[in-house]
Each structure stands twice: as structure tokens, then as C-alpha cells.
Amino acid sequence: RQVEDRVRDEMAQHVGSEFLPVVIFDLDSTLYEVQPRTFAIIQEWLAARDSAAVVPKVRSKVAGLTCDQLRYSINDALQAAGLDNDDAATRAAADSLKQFWSQRFFRSDYLHFDRPYAGAMPYATKLYAMGCQIIYLTGRDEPQMGDGTRAMLTRDGFTLNGKRAKLMLKPNFEMDDQAFKRVAVETISAMGPG
């Protein structure tokens, strides 16, 4: 509601100009819930040979995790399963799972598991309809996640037209997320009105 009021105020102050307020949204854990992606990867890990060497007690507890118990980090997931991250068997499982997860989480192939938070799409659409430029700014990278990100935004009804609704992704995986976002915000600021 505060954002909508601010947009109305900005629009009123710039009547007759080309000024368009800019609203920036992150994707992961802002517009989209990523826990289903992590959950799917954990289930795949449990079925893969990668987890076969893990102590059965640890595997059993990981298998008992629900999607609702997950957060972003694997260590948090193992703690939610009731495992002690200082335990050697848990650390071994964490190492195996982290490697498996990192090879999959940052790829388009797994983005279809992400789900928009309730109200996220209607809210972004409302701001767009009010005349805002919408920028989806994410630490995802173009080479590995660009196609999947555009597909999921389209699948879920988010406006993405390259004009007033744009997606900004890192040019490569190796670039630091925060550094990329700082540069992106400077670029957005430099765009000026419209």
C-alpha cells in the first residue's frame, strides 16, 4: 500500500512529463518461493548414488524433511531435520548434498519448481498498470538461468515486455550478486525518466 501511495504521489508530481516511477523486485524469496526447488533437489539427491554413502540415520532424517521446513541454506535444512551440523556424519551428508544442490539449483532446468508468493503477480501487475517501470533484478545469471527465468515469469503471468517491464540478470555465474545489483541499480538510476 505504501508503494502504491508513493507511486501515485510521484505520478502526480510529474503530470505531463515522461517520468515513470521505477519499482525493482528481486525474484528469489521476494516474488518467488524457492524452497520447492531445493526440496526437489534434495529428493533427487536421496534417490541418487551421491547419497548412498551417507549414514542411514542421517539419510532418514533428511528424507523426513518437508518443503515447509526448508530455507535457503543446506545447513539450515539439516538443522530443521534435527541434525547437528557439528556431527561428522551430518557434515559428510552436508558436503555431499551441497555439491549435488549447487550443480542443480543455479540452472534453468530446476526453475519450474519455484512458485510465486500469493499476491506477488497481481501486485506487480497493478504497479505496472499504474504506469510504473518494473525491473526484475536478480542474482541469477543469463547463461545458466536466463531462459528458465523468462519462462517462469511468463508462465506465472508477470509482465515482461522488455520496455516497461525488464529482467536484469548477471552476465555470468561468477559475478558477485551484491556487486552486480549495486551496478544494476546505478544503471537503472542513470536511465532517467521513461
Side-chain angles (χ1 to χ4, degrees), residues 22-193:
V22 176
V23 178
I24 300 171
F25 289 107
D26 197 341
L27 296 180
D28 297 339
S29 301
T30 301
L31 294 180
Y32 278 90
E33 178 183 13
V34 298
Q35 288 84 351
R37 185 178 355 154
T38 292
F39 185 76
I41 294 168
I42 289 172
Q43 297 309 304
E44 189 176 323
W45 175 77
L46 286 166
R49 286 191 345 219
D50 299 65
S51 71
V54 173
V55 173
K57 180 183 103 176
V58 173
R59 278 185 96 261
S60 174
K61 287 196 174 201
V62 172
L65 277 171
T66 66
C67 190
D68 292 337
Q69 291 176 290
L70 300 178
R71 298 297 167 257
Y72 190 77
S73 98
I74 295 301
N75 285 341
D76 290 344
L78 296 178
Q79 276 188 309
L83 294 165
D84 177 3
N85 284 321
D86 292 327
D87 174 70
T90 300
R91 280 196 313 274
D95 291 345
S96 172
L97 181 51
K98 282 179 192 174
Q99 181 176 1
F100 192 89
W101 176 88
S102 67
Q103 293 169 350
R104 289 158 179 77
F105 189 82
F106 302 104
R107 291 187 17 215
S108 283
D109 306 12
Y110 289 83
L111 292 178
H112 68 277
F113 291 107
D114 290 4
R115 294 290 169 250
Y117 285 110
M121 186 278 293
Y123 183 65
T125 301
K126 182 176 187 175
L127 291 171
Y128 181 84
M130 290 174 70
C132 292
Q133 290 186 76
I134 303 297
I135 307 290
Y136 305 106
L137 177 60
T138 179
R140 297 175 181 189
D141 69 289
E142 178 62 50
Q144 296 184 97
M145 302 181 85
D147 290 343
T149 300
R150 282 184 284 281
M152 67 179 240
L153 286 165
T154 301
R155 171 197 75 190
D156 297 324
F158 286 91
T159 303
L160 182 64
N161 58 24
K163 296 174 185 155
R164 281 190 26 235
K166 302 172 185 163
L167 174 62
M168 294 183 78
L169 300 127
K170 295 189 314 186
N172 57 63
F173 178 77
E174 293 74 21
M175 186 175 195
D176 177 73
D177 288 2
Q178 295 309 313
F180 166 71
K181 289 178 181 179
R182 275 192 300 278
V183 170
V185 168
E186 290 170 10
T187 301
I188 293 164
S189 297
M191 287 181 196

